[in-house]
Amino acid sequence: MQELHDAPLAPLTTFRLGGPAARLVTATTDDEVIETVRAADDAGTPLLIIGGGSNLVIGDKGFDGTALRIATSGFTLDGTALELAAGENWSDAVARTVEAGLAGIECLAGIPGSAGATPIQNVGAYGQEVSTTLTEVVAYDRRAGETVTLSNGECGFSYRHSRFKEHPDRFVVLRVRFALEDAGGLSAPLKYPETARALGVEAGDRVPAAVARKTVLALRAGKGMVLDAEDHDTWSAGSFFTNPILTEAEHAAFLVRAQDRLGPDVAPPVFPAGDGLVKTSAAWLIDRAGFTKGYGSGPARISTKHTLALTNRGAATTEDLLALAREVRDGVQAAFGVTLVNEPVTVGVSL
């Protein structure tokens, strides 16, 4: 277990932003993770959990406490049952399941970060979410002071949300378990229209899982959503804002605002979200509010490839990034009456 003091945190995040931690501990086993968490809790020391750093916005002043970097390893595949240690690289794990001929997470290829972070955010893309195949999460319960195993139903999953996100200071994810599918090397039925179009098939069709993964990687790369140290469009947290979930009344008011602004024939994207709710596109809102690809003149700008990604062009500070995020959020609110919510976790700062 490595321990550093006044340690830079920016290199541990995909934004490459943020000040130092008073103390940085790197844990490579579950026991080391639990030991560090218990010691911090017993001492009343603020604790920051870091996995792959792909969903973190850390303030320029850093973190005055213990930052725990989870670097555990473990990939176990027993038939179609998969167990991942929290520190496993998620994208690499997806590739290994596809190589094994299994389906269920192939469209989650290329998502940066660690396996332990996926249930927290209920990570999803291109028609798949981890909650669809996840069976159990093994976590350290800081409130009870013990390791617990939570079933899928106990995780409280919804769109980009979970029990872990709702109670961020309670659970530390140690292991994640999935039930995948042996479809003879084929993918799960494709749900996302863009993926189906790119493959020249219909939604609901299956294709070779390796082909589905390769196609998703290409789609993500075209939007700057696959990490590349040489490409500043990937110095981001991916999608900075979640797609808004609206009630029927909110959606009706939004349509009026959109038609007033863009004309009576405008048809904003809309998707069912259950229980009288609908989901619309944050990217559409941002673009139609005037924040197009490449927007900005400072060191933090919207990606040149995707309007949902806010990026560090190399010399940005966290405050530069937040100023841009606030400008976009407030501009969308003024244009359409819809308030965007940030997807990344903020540490020591807020929008």
Side-chain angles (χ1 to χ4, degrees):
M1 188 162 59
Q2 183 188 68
E3 180 175 332
L4 300 172
H5 295 270
D6 196 28
L9 293 180
L12 302 182
T13 75
T14 53
F15 265 124
R16 295 168 172 80
L17 295 175
R23 175 172 175 256
L24 172 65
V25 175
T26 299
T28 58
T29 69
D30 291 352
D31 287 344
E32 289 178 353
V33 171
I34 294 170
E35 177 187 340
T36 303
V37 173
R38 279 179 172 161
D41 287 348
D42 289 346
T45 303
L47 181 68
L48 171 64
I49 306 296
I50 300 177
S54 62
N55 203 45
L56 274 181
V57 178
I58 298 173
D60 293 317
K61 292 182 180 180
F63 184 71
D64 188 17
T66 295
L68 169 59
R69 178 172 172 260
I70 297 181
T72 54
S73 60
F75 177 102
T76 304
L77 195 56
D78 182 7
T80 57
L82 172 67
E83 179 179 283
L84 299 175
E88 280 288 329
N89 179 282
W90 173 255
S91 190
D92 290 347
V94 172
R96 292 176 70 178
T97 66
V98 171
E99 289 170 2
L102 299 178
I105 57 175
E106 63 280 355
C107 290
L108 300 178
I111 294 177
S114 62
T118 59
I120 297 172
Q121 194 75 3
N122 187 16
V123 165
Y126 295 96
Q128 291 182 345
E129 289 182 328
V130 295
S131 58
T132 304
T133 50
L134 182 145
T135 57
E136 293 179 331
V137 173
V138 179
Y140 176 68
D141 184 342
R142 297 167 68 182
R143 183 184 300 172
E146 62 184 15
T147 300
V148 296
T149 300
L150 303 174
S151 67
N152 182 296
E154 292 172 315
C155 292
F157 289 123
S158 59
Y159 172 66
R160 300 298 175 269
H161 195 70
S162 70
R163 184 178 181 184
F164 312 105
K165 188 174 181 178
E166 185 173 354
H167 303 285
D169 296 326
R170 178 170 179 181
F171 298 102
V172 179
V173 176
L174 302 173
R175 308 235 150 214
V176 189
R177 294 169 180 157
F178 298 87
L180 303 179
E181 178 188 8
D182 185 352
L186 295 179
S187 69
L190 298 171
K191 295 181 179 179
Y192 201 69
E194 183 182 11
T195 314
R197 285 196 302 270
L199 287 161
V201 299
E202 299 294 326
D205 288 349
R206 294 178 184 260
V207 299
V211 173
R213 173 180 174 271
K214 182 178 179 181
T215 300
V216 165
L217 286 173
L219 290 171
R220 292 185 64 87
K223 299 173 183 177
M225 297 289 184
V226 177
L227 293 182
D228 179 351
E230 302 302 315
D231 182 1
H232 283 283
D233 278 331
T234 73
W235 289 33
S236 75
S239 299
F240 194 88
F241 297 103
T242 59
N243 290 322
I245 303 293
L246 307 175
T247 65
E248 291 179 355
E250 289 170 339
H251 182 236
F254 160 54
L255 284 179
V256 171
R257 295 282 290 269
Q259 290 168 357
D260 286 347
R261 180 181 178 90
L262 303 171
D265 296 329
V266 67
V270 60
F271 311 94
D275 297 326
L277 302 173
V278 296
K279 179 169 63 177
T280 191
S281 166
W284 187 94
L285 289 165
I286 292 167
D287 183 73
R288 299 310 191 279
F291 303 101
T292 53
K293 296 174 184 176
Y295 178 88
S297 57
R301 304 178 195 173
I302 290 178
S303 166
T304 66
K305 300 182 179 72
H306 200 295
T307 53
L308 260 185
L310 308 188
T311 67
N312 171 10
R313 308 316 293 186
T317 65
T318 300
E319 280 306 310
D320 292 328
L321 174 74
L322 293 176
L324 175 62
R326 293 178 188 122
E327 183 184 2
V328 172
R329 179 199 61 190
D330 294 347
V332 167
Q333 172 63 38
F336 299 111
V338 176
T339 301
L340 295 179
V341 176
N342 54 289
E343 186 166 332
V345 175
T346 55
V347 178
V349 291
S350 65
L351 287 189

